[in-house]
């Protein structure tokens, strides 16, 4: 039976609890994972286009390949953590991301770009959402929402600080040199921290797993999940929202530049990113006590309202305020799926389910920027694609409120 039973026996609220050290490790991991794997893509596209003169379509297709191949790998992250343990899994992810950074810096031919992006996909799978949520779930139960939210602030920090630092390094030592330095810094900072701080998870999670009436294989759990209404509504709703969110954010500067100018467009993006951090921190204080499906629906609707303002009102300060409203929910939309899965399903299946959820979401949002761009070119403006994003947010808000039947069994 896949219905959650949780009996926390450790004082997770204590500052001395070892799990908070794991949160710090995951914060650092997210900083490099998102800085080099997610936000870094915009830097790689610009630098390779400038240095090699390759068409944007060629380089961007490499990015799409990275997301799609990475989604395939993410499916198996939960099994990797369960089989090899969190320490070895985190070390493998760190080594893969460092190797990918070196490979990207060494790209000279188009085929090498695809090879580098393949390695980067391994690094992304081992340093991003699925790895972090699976790792933290081994140490946290009733404080899991706060722990994941705090750790994922590293993702925002990777965008706020990591990308500017990378651009600055490129200006001083060139693209290849900057990527080699980034890889070295990741190894020097992360490997010792993982080796020292990441040990054996608490035993109560193994007792929870043993409490299930029958052990289920990962294949059985995935097959069940893809037929379960509760899991499907969570997964499809967040896939639609992340498709809209990523598509909107990637094209935001292109939309705002002719409307309010490049400088204020940059301010709007910075405000959006900062509000993502603020929203995640504030939510972390109460998120474990909320109706998380309802909180998700309200977050979707707030983004839809922000999109409506962005499309129809072109005052500088109103647009920046709308970006702030949109950004307030950005960070929480990668945290909430894991919390809903934790609350509604068996803890022994958490790793497999959240990895599957993350993979489906990543496959979906990989196409967001391309679809928004194609609709923009076809319609001659951003109103049509942004209205599509708005509609997807509203549909997702309705869908997320549809729950499956409690107590559904695997068959």
């Amino acid at each position: 039976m896949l219905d959650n039973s949780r009996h926390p026996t450790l004082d997770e609220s204590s500052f001395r609890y070892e799990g908070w050290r794991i949160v710090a490790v995951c914060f650092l991991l997210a900083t490099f994972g998102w800085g080099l794997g997610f936000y870094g893509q915009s830097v790689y596209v610009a630098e390779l286009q400038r240095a090699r003169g390759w068409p944007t379509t060629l380089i961007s297709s490499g990015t799409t390949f990275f997301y799609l191949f990475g989604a395939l790998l993410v499916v198996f992250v939960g099994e990797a953590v369960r089989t090899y343990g969190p320490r070895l899994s985190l070390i493998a992810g760190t080594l893969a991301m460092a190797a990918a950074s070196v490979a990207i810096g060494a790209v000279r031919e188009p085929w090498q770009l695809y090879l580098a992006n393949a390695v980067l996909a391994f690094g992304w799978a081992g340093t991003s959402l699925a790895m972090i949520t699976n790792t933290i779930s081994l140490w946290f139960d009733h404080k899991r929402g706060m722990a994941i939210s705090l750790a994922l602030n590293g993702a925002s920090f990777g965008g706020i600080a990591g990308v500017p630092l990378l651009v600055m390094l490129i200006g001083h030592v060139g693209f290849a040199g900057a990527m080699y330095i980034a890889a070295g810094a990741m190894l020097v900072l992360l490997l010792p921290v993982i080796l020292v701080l990441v040990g054996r998870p608490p035993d109560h999670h193994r007792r929870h797993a043993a409490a299930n009436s029958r052990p289920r294989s990962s294949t059985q759990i995935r097959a069940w999940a893809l037929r379960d209404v509760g899991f499907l509504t969570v997964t499809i709703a967040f896939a639609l929202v992340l498709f809209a969110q990523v598509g909107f954010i990637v094209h935001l500067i292109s939309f705002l530049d002719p409307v309010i100018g490049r400088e204020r467009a940059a301010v709007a993006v910075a405000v959006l990113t900062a509000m993502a951090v603020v929203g995640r921190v504030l939510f972390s204080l109460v998120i474990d006590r909320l109706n998380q499906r309802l909180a998700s629906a309200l977050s979707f609707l707030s983004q839809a309202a922000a999109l409506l303002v962005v499309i129809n009102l072109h005052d500088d300060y109103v647009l920046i305020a709308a970006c702030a409203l949109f950004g307030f929910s950005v960070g929480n939309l990668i945290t909430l799926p894991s919390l809903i899965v934790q609350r509604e399903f068996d803890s022994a299946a958490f790793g497999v389910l959240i990895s599957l959820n993350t993979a489906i979401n990543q496959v979906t949002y990989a196409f967001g920027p391309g679809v928004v761009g194609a609709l923009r070119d076809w319609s001659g403006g951003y109103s049509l694609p942004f209205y599509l994003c708005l509609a997807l947010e509203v549909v997702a808000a309705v869908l997320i409120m549809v729950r499956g039947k409690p107590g559904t069994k695997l068959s």
Side-chain angles (χ1 to χ4, degrees), residues 199-283:
R200 185 185 296 274
D203 290 336
H204 70 261
H205 291 277
R206 280 189 284 273
R207 289 201 297 273
H208 288 175
N212 287 295
S213 57
R214 290 183 297 164
R216 302 293 176 182
S217 71
S218 298
T219 302
Q220 287 176 311
I221 293 171
R222 290 191 198 100
W224 172 87
L226 293 175
R227 299 192 305 269
D228 180 72
V229 172
F231 180 80
L232 289 175
T233 56
V234 171
T235 301
I236 295 172
F238 278 95
L240 294 176
V241 167
L242 289 172
F243 176 98
Q245 179 173 285
V246 173
F248 171 70
I249 291 174
V250 167
H251 287 270
L252 184 55
I253 288 184
S254 296
F255 168 76
L256 291 176
D257 190 1
V259 178
I260 62 175
R262 177 60 60 92
E263 289 185 2
R264 289 189 176 177
V267 169
V269 174
V271 168
L272 187 152
T273 306
M275 287 301 292
V277 177
V278 172
R280 189 184 284 124
V281 171
L282 292 179
F283 256 68

Side-chain angles (χ1 to χ4, degrees), residues 42 77 79 159 204 220 284 318 382 387 410:
S42 61
V77 166
E79 291 166 87
H204 70 261
Q220 287 176 311
S284 71
V318 171
Y382 277 107
Y387 269 121
L410 284 166

Side-chain angles (χ1 to χ4, degrees), residues 29 55 70 73 109 112 138 167 192 202 204 218 222 227 280 288 297 313 328 351 372 389:
L29 187 78
L73 299 174
E109 301 292 337
Q112 295 173 342
L138 298 175
V167 171
H204 70 261
S218 298
R222 290 191 198 100
R227 299 192 305 269
R280 189 184 284 124
D288 291 306
L313 300 176
F328 188 80
V372 169
C389 293

Side-chain angles (χ1 to χ4, degrees), residues 4-10 12 17-18 81-87 134-141 144 198-216 346-350:
N4 198 14
S5 60
R6 295 175 287 137
H7 306 284
T9 59
L10 302 176
E12 297 176 6
Y17 176 54
E18 65 174 336
V81 174
R82 185 175 60 190
T83 302
Y84 301 107
R87 177 187 284 177
N134 272 280
T135 300
I136 287 178
S137 72
L138 298 175
W139 272 269
F140 286 92
D141 199 351
R144 188 179 296 178
V198 180
R200 185 185 296 274
D203 290 336
H204 70 261
H205 291 277
R206 280 189 284 273
R207 289 201 297 273
H208 288 175
N212 287 295
S213 57
R214 290 183 297 164
R216 302 293 176 182
D346 179 14
S347 59
F350 176 83

Side-chain angles (χ1 to χ4, degrees), residues 50-67:
R50 181 188 60 80
R52 306 296 169 205
W54 296 339
T56 303
T57 303
L58 171 66
I59 304 172
S60 298
S61 64
T63 300
T64 301
F65 168 73
F66 154 70
Y67 281 125

